[in-house]
């Protein structure tokens, strides 16, 4: 992995340019939302690694309470595009100043079972120390980060078989213990699916396990 944040940014840009996402920024489905996949570089035991910022949603929320998620939410009328939605929501939820991140790419939307389009916006945070976490207590219970590459490994992972309209698919669950937080977190379902996709593009390899995505996500095979 590259030795400096600038090199890592260029590495990410090249990976996503090679991927050639077909998603158009100006396209908004009737029910649209966006999430910010905020990646940064950290020095680890085995050299530099790429990590991604996640949240644990507030237990008081009516939708997906207490679940792990990427910062993001529904599009507002004033949002110019998916990037604007993801950056606005990240500022509101975790206090991330948009000026701290560089937008790298926008991936094709994932579609959940309710028909909501969820667009992953890929960004890079050059200076993690400059990010002063301010969780919005109405929406976010905790903020933590994980290695991006973990979503390609068959470790601390389990899967549940589900069926939708006669079609079988798998939901993946990744267990992660945060030493900083001294807590266990579970990343699963659509959030896990997005991060498997992002990690596959960045590291240019398939996961070590059978993915078997649901067709309603409308993702490339």
């Amino acid at each position: 992995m590259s030795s400096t944040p600038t090199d890592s940014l260029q590495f990410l840009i090249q990976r996503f340019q090679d991927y050639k996402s077909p998603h158009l920024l100006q396209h908004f489905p009737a029910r649209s939302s966006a999430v910010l996949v905020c990646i940064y570089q950290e020095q680890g035991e085995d050299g530099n690694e790429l990590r991604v910022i996640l949240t644990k949603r507030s237990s008081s929320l009516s939708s997906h309470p207490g679940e792990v998620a990427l910062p993001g939410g529904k599009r507002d009328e004033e949002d110019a595009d998916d990037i604007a939605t993801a950056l606005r929501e990240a500022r509101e939820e975790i206090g991330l100043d948009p000026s701290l991140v560089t937008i790298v790419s926008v991936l094709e939307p994932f579609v959940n079972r309710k028909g909501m389009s969820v667009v992953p916006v890929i960004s890079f945070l050059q200076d993690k120390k400059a990010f002063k976490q301010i969780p919005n207590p109405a929406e976010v219970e905790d903020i933590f980060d994980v290695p991006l590459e973990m979503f390609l490994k068959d470790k601390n992972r389990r899967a549940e078989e589900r069926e939708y309209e006669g079609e079988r698919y798998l939901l993946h669950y990744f267990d992660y213990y945060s030493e900083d937080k001294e807590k266990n977190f579970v990343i699963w379902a659509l959030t896990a699916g997005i991060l498997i996709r992002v990690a596959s593009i960045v590291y240019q390899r398939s996961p070590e396990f059978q993915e078997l995505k649901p067709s309603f996500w409308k993702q490339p095979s």
Side-chain angles (χ1 to χ4, degrees):
M1 186 58 60
S2 303
S3 59
T4 70
T6 299
D7 289 341
S8 288
L9 173 59
Q10 294 306 315
F11 167 81
L12 287 176
I13 290 172
Q14 186 61 55
R15 283 291 191 258
F16 284 97
Q17 283 178 342
D18 293 344
Y19 174 64
K20 297 177 182 177
S21 170
H23 180 54
L24 300 176
L25 296 184
Q26 68 269 25
H27 172 66
F28 282 121
R31 292 163 55 79
S32 179
S33 63
V35 293
L36 191 71
V37 183
C38 187
I39 299 169
Y40 71 95
Q41 177 183 287
E42 183 171 272
Q43 180 69 35
E45 294 180 0
D46 301 322
N48 294 323
E49 68 176 5
L50 296 176
R51 299 180 71 87
V52 61
I53 295 172
L54 293 168
T55 71
K56 183 177 181 182
R57 291 167 60 84
S58 169
S59 299
S60 63
L61 290 171
S62 59
S63 175
H64 305 288
E67 292 185 7
V68 169
L70 291 155
K74 295 179 182 178
R75 173 172 60 101
D76 280 355
E77 290 184 2
E78 64 267 24
D79 293 337
D81 53 24
D82 298 314
I83 293 171
T85 299
L87 291 175
R88 175 183 54 76
E89 286 284 346
R91 181 194 282 272
E92 291 174 2
E93 291 183 6
I94 64 175
L96 179 62
D97 187 333
S99 68
L100 296 177
V101 301
T102 300
I103 300 301
V104 174
S105 185
V106 179
L107 297 186
E108 61 274 9
F110 285 66
V111 180
N112 66 21
R113 284 181 59 169
K114 296 181 180 179
M116 172 70 75
S117 169
V118 182
V119 177
V121 175
I122 314 302
S123 68
F124 186 73
L125 175 64
Q126 294 230 36
D127 185 1
K128 174 65 158 47
K129 293 180 181 178
F131 169 36
K132 308 303 181 185
Q133 299 181 5
I134 308 174
N136 179 346
E139 299 187 63
V140 173
E141 188 173 301
D142 219 335
I143 304 170
F144 66 105
D145 52 81
V146 301
L148 179 62
E149 196 173 11
M150 69 175 273
F151 297 100
L152 298 179
K153 298 179 179 180
D154 195 12
K155 181 181 179 182
N156 299 320
R157 183 199 68 89
R158 62 189 189 280
E160 288 184 3
E161 184 174 309
R162 302 286 179 91
E163 189 173 300
Y164 180 72
E165 295 183 348
E167 182 179 48
R168 185 174 68 92
Y169 66 93
L170 294 176
L171 279 185
H172 298 278
Y173 296 74
F174 294 87
D175 297 305
Y176 182 75
Y177 177 74
S178 171
E179 294 184 358
D180 292 342
K181 302 286 183 176
E182 298 184 338
K183 293 179 184 177
N184 287 300
F185 296 96
V186 180
I187 304 102
W188 68 293
L190 188 65
T191 299
I194 290 172
L195 292 173
I196 291 170
R197 187 71 179 163
V198 172
S200 297
I201 295 170
V202 170
Y203 294 102
Q204 294 192 323
R205 69 176 193 266
S206 300
E208 297 172 354
F209 47 86
Q210 181 187 31
E211 193 173 356
L212 199 61
K213 298 182 285 263
S215 62
F216 57 79
W217 280 0
K218 301 188 184 302
Q219 287 295 294
S221 57

